[in-house]
């Protein structure tokens, strides 16, 4: 069955995407490989905590802001924050704009572990891609970012007709 947008929009582009998806499920393979790598690595944080702590890198955020950035429900983020508070990875602070609400901020421990994990991930990926030409690495970075933004926009728009 052809996607509704393929009927309305550029049929050739949809044909190319369909062929690529049918021939190679590269994104699914990449996700599976990254999951396997993560299980084998001794990272200092679980992935969900790492991603949440990265969102707090520049400023404290509300539960709602974190949920929006991570594309999760508020209840999911609330549970993660509660578990991370117990591990002393973050703390809740009064919201200066509205004292009735709180913001979430990384602790020194949370920041240190997140930055250590980020450094380890960069070192390992740099090692694995050391033979790649710079132009290929730049293309990979640019296209991965573009794909992530497109998929995130799709999720945020609530498109369910896939």
């Amino acid at each position: 069955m052809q996607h509704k947008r393929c009927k309305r929009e550029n049929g050739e582009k949809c044909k190319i995407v369909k062929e690529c998806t049918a021939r190679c499920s590269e994104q699914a393979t990449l996700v599976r490989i990254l999951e396997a790598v993560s299980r084998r690595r001794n990272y200092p944080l679980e992935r969900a905590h790492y991603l949440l702590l990265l969102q707090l890198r520049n400023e404290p955020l509300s539960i709602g802001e974190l949920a929006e950035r991570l594309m999760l429900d508020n209840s999911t983020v609330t549970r993660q924050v509660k578990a991370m508070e117990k591990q002393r990875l973050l703390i809740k602070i009064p919201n200066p704009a509205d004292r009735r609400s709180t913001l979430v901020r990384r602790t020194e421990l949370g920041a240190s572990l997140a930055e250590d994990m980020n450094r380890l991930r960069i070192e390992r990926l740099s090692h694995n891609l050391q033979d790649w030409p710079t132009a290929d690495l730049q293309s990979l970075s640019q296209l991965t970012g573009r794909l992530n933004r497109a998929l995130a926009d799709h999720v945020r728009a609530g498109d369910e007709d896939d």
Side-chain angles (χ1 to χ4, degrees), residues 45 53 87-90 106-115:
L45 295 165
L53 288 167
Q87 296 174 7
R88 297 194 163 106
L89 299 174
L90 50 76
R106 301 191 313 181
T107 62
E108 285 186 35
L109 175 63
S112 175
L113 291 174
E115 297 309 321

Side-chain angles (χ1 to χ4, degrees), residues 15-159:
K15 181 181 174 187
I16 292 168
V17 170
K18 184 179 177 183
E19 288 172 7
C20 180
T21 303
R23 268 193 323 232
C24 59
S25 54
E26 294 297 331
Q27 290 113 350
T29 302
L30 176 61
V31 168
R32 179 65 60 211
I33 291 168
L34 292 174
E35 288 171 350
V37 166
S38 185
R39 283 190 304 271
R40 291 186 177 109
R41 299 290 183 211
N42 190 21
Y43 287 126
L45 295 165
E46 51 183 277
R47 182 179 53 183
H49 293 178
Y50 169 68
L51 293 173
L52 194 147
L53 288 167
L54 287 183
Q55 297 304 312
L56 299 170
R57 195 181 237 168
N58 298 319
E59 63 183 338
L61 298 170
S62 70
I63 296 287
E65 290 168 321
L66 284 166
E68 184 178 324
R69 288 184 183 194
L70 295 166
M71 293 179 281
L72 297 169
D73 293 331
N74 284 8
S75 61
T76 301
V77 174
T78 298
R79 282 191 302 276
Q80 287 180 351
V81 165
K82 191 173 284 191
M84 294 171 73
E85 277 183 297
K86 288 180 183 175
Q87 296 174 7
R88 297 194 163 106
L89 299 174
L90 50 76
I91 59 170
K92 289 183 181 175
I93 59 171
N95 184 342
D98 180 359
R99 294 276 179 192
R100 296 170 295 172
S101 64
T102 60
L103 299 176
V104 179
R105 183 178 74 201
R106 301 191 313 181
T107 62
E108 285 186 35
L109 175 63
S112 175
L113 291 174
E115 297 309 321
D116 286 350
M117 185 164 168
N118 193 50
R119 182 185 47 76
L120 285 170
R121 292 169 57 96
I122 289 169
E123 287 172 3
R124 288 176 175 154
L125 191 55
S126 295
H127 175 75
N128 290 330
L129 301 177
Q130 66 186 350
D131 296 332
W132 283 38
T134 301
D136 287 355
L137 292 171
Q138 290 170 333
S139 292
L140 175 65
S141 178
Q142 182 182 31
L143 292 171
T144 301
R146 186 173 171 191
L147 176 62
N148 283 341
R149 287 187 298 279
L151 295 174
D153 289 348
H154 176 78
V155 169
R156 286 185 182 107
D159 293 345

